């Protein structure tokens, strides 16, 4: 991986957020000093209706759960015609999610104009099937996690090594793989995770009995350069502390030659904060976490009201 393929941020202030390994609360998202200052000031975003219709837009980046997806977890039907309009105008749309790339690609299969994906909460950015940036877990750290999980005999757990090419597991019983397949469209069962030749972007552990005390029990001690984060009732992830959607968007903007002034971002939870900081047209959904609403420039209608669709129609003057 070349230096140009990865841009590191010096702003690393841990906080809380939500990811999508298991669809629950996600910890360990960095927040910039700018965003923290906005939150503490109590600033409120402007309503989306204050924006002049018709804007110079080149890139639209959108979180999935709680943002684009409706209350049933589906993409609104009206969004698909907007995808066609954006494609006709040369505007790129990129979903940004905690899901793996293969899962996102499957969700948008059949839409050739959707070519770019920010996956694994920013640890893996893909365009036209090729990696734009990868923020991997260091090899020594990955092997440490693998050994720790293998040695556990008092918990019903399994490890998923999320790679740039696929997700990988050693545990192969149906009870476990059914849980993993929910969030990983590309899954490979292997005999030895340490022998896999792929960049691991996330090490996710699933505990059937819940993860209330798993960090202290299984993953104690220092994890220099990495975050140990709870991502759901049954999931805990270990990722690089450089992995976030903001760094990923910065990589993508540089790759495409698109400025923040031409970028639109939609988000609802704390793992979207850095991403909001990378766009002049930043929108928090009405259902967003209060810190996200404080950090965004504008407020969009709730995801259950198809807020992304309404805002894009105004931005595109439709």
């Amino acid at each position: 991986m070349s230096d140009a393929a990865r841009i590191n941020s010096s702003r690393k202030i841990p906080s809380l957020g939500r990811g999508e390994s298991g669809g629950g609360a996600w910890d360990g998202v960095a927040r910039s000093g700018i965003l923290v200052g906005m939150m503490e000031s109590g600033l409120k975003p402007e309503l989306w209706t204050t924006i002049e219709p018709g804007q110079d837009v080149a890139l639209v980046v959108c979180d999935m759960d709680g943002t684009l997806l409706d209350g049933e977890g589906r993409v609104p039907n009206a969004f698909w015609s907007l995808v066609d309009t954006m494609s006709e105008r040369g505007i790129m749309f990129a979903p940004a999610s905690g899901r793996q790339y293969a899962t996102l690609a499957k969700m948008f299969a059949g839409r050739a104009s959707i070519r770019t994906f920010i996956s694994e909460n920013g640890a893996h950015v893909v365009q036209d099937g090729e990696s734009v940036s990868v923020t991997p877990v260091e090899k020594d750290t990955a092997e440490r996690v693998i050994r720790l999980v293998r040695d556990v005999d008092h918990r019903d757990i399994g490890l998923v090594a999320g790679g740039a090419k696929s997700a990988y597991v050693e545990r192969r019983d149906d009870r476990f793989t059914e849980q993993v397949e929910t969030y990983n469209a590309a899954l490979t069962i292997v005999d030895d995770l340490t022998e896999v030749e792929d960049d691991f972007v996330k090490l996710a552990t699933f505990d059937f009995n819940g993860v209330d005390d798993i960090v202290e029990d299984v993953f104690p001690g220092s994890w220099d350069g990495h975050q140990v984060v709870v991502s759901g009732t049954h999931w805990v992830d270990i990722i690089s502390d450089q992995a976030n959607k903001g760094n990923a968007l910065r990589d993508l903007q540089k790759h495409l030659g698109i400025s923040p002034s031409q970028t639109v971002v939609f988000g609802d939870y704390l793992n979207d904060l850095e991403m909001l900081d990378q766009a002049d047209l930043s929108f928090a959904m009405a259902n967003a976490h209060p810190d996200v609403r404080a950090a965004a420039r504008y407020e969009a209608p709730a995801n259950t009201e198809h807020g992304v669709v309404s805002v894009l129609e105004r931005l595109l003057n439709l």
Side-chain angles (χ1 to χ4, degrees):
M1 180 174 55
S2 67
D3 291 338
R6 177 179 172 188
I7 301 175
N8 292 328
S9 170
S10 61
R11 295 181 296 181
K12 300 185 291 183
I13 304 175
S15 69
L16 301 177
R18 183 186 69 188
E20 294 145 335
S21 287
W26 192 89
D27 298 317
V29 180
R31 295 191 296 185
S32 75
I34 295 173
L35 292 177
V36 171
M38 292 176 68
M39 293 173 207
E40 292 175 347
S41 70
L43 293 177
K44 294 182 179 180
E46 300 176 45
L47 289 177
W48 66 283
T49 51
T50 63
I51 301 174
E52 288 292 327
Q55 295 286 327
D56 177 20
V57 175
L59 174 64
V60 176
V61 181
C62 191
D63 174 58
M64 299 297 291
D65 292 283
T67 302
L68 176 61
L69 303 185
D70 63 20
E72 303 300 319
R74 297 175 297 200
V75 177
N77 289 332
F79 175 74
W80 300 117
S81 63
L82 287 173
V83 169
D84 295 336
T85 299
M86 287 189 286
S87 178
E88 291 168 1
R89 297 187 184 183
I91 301 170
M92 182 169 293
F93 173 80
S97 173
R99 293 174 171 86
Q100 71 168 183
Y101 159 64
T103 302
L104 290 175
K106 184 177 180 179
M107 291 178 70
F108 292 96
R111 292 284 171 170
S113 61
I114 299 180
R115 305 158 39 213
T116 307
F117 302 87
I118 297 175
S119 65
E120 305 283 12
N121 276 311
H124 191 203
V125 181
V126 178
Q127 184 175 35
D128 297 327
E130 300 292 331
S131 295
V132 172
S133 67
V134 178
T135 308
V137 175
E138 293 178 2
K139 184 176 177 61
D140 289 347
T141 298
E143 292 181 352
R144 177 184 173 190
V145 173
I146 293 166
R147 289 195 300 271
L148 286 171
V149 174
R150 283 176 178 172
D151 290 342
V152 172
D153 58 7
H154 59 288
R155 306 180 76 111
D156 188 4
I157 67 176
L159 180 66
V160 186
K165 301 174 185 176
S166 173
Y168 305 87
V169 296
E170 292 177 344
R171 179 170 171 173
R172 58 190 67 207
D173 58 284
D174 292 343
R175 181 166 167 263
F176 174 66
T177 57
E178 285 173 3
Q179 297 292 333
V180 178
E181 287 170 349
T182 301
Y183 303 100
N184 296 276
L187 179 64
T188 304
I189 298 175
V190 299
D191 294 326
D192 186 349
L193 287 171
T194 65
E195 298 296 323
V196 173
E197 295 185 0
D198 196 353
D199 286 324
F200 292 154
V201 294
K202 180 172 66 179
L203 282 301
T205 300
F206 183 87
D207 188 322
F208 282 93
N209 297 316
V211 296
D212 287 345
D213 63 341
I214 194 171
V215 175
E216 297 81 5
D217 183 30
V218 180
F219 304 113
S222 173
W223 293 87
D224 188 35
H226 297 80
Q227 308 168 68
V228 182
V229 297
V230 175
S231 61
T233 305
H234 298 276
W235 292 94
V236 62
D237 300 342
I238 295 179
I239 59 175
S240 166
D241 62 10
Q242 292 296 310
N244 63 66
K245 294 180 183 180
N247 285 348
L249 178 52
R250 188 180 298 111
D251 287 350
L252 182 60
Q253 288 168 326
K254 181 177 180 180
H255 177 75
L256 298 173
I258 293 174
S259 69
S261 66
Q262 298 172 296
T263 303
V264 180
V265 165
F266 296 91
D268 78 305
Y269 216 75
L270 298 171
N271 59 330
D272 298 319
L273 281 170
E274 297 89 351
M275 186 168 68
L276 295 174
D277 200 26
Q278 285 299 119
D280 289 0
L281 291 168
S282 60
F283 294 85
M285 313 308 291
N287 53 286
H289 186 283
D291 284 357
V292 177
R293 294 179 64 202
R297 183 172 180 183
Y298 300 100
E299 180 178 315
N303 68 310
T304 54
E305 299 174 0
H306 301 173
V308 170
V309 171
S310 296
V311 172
L312 286 178
E313 288 176 343
R314 188 174 185 88
L315 293 177
L316 301 177
N317 199 19
L318 297 176

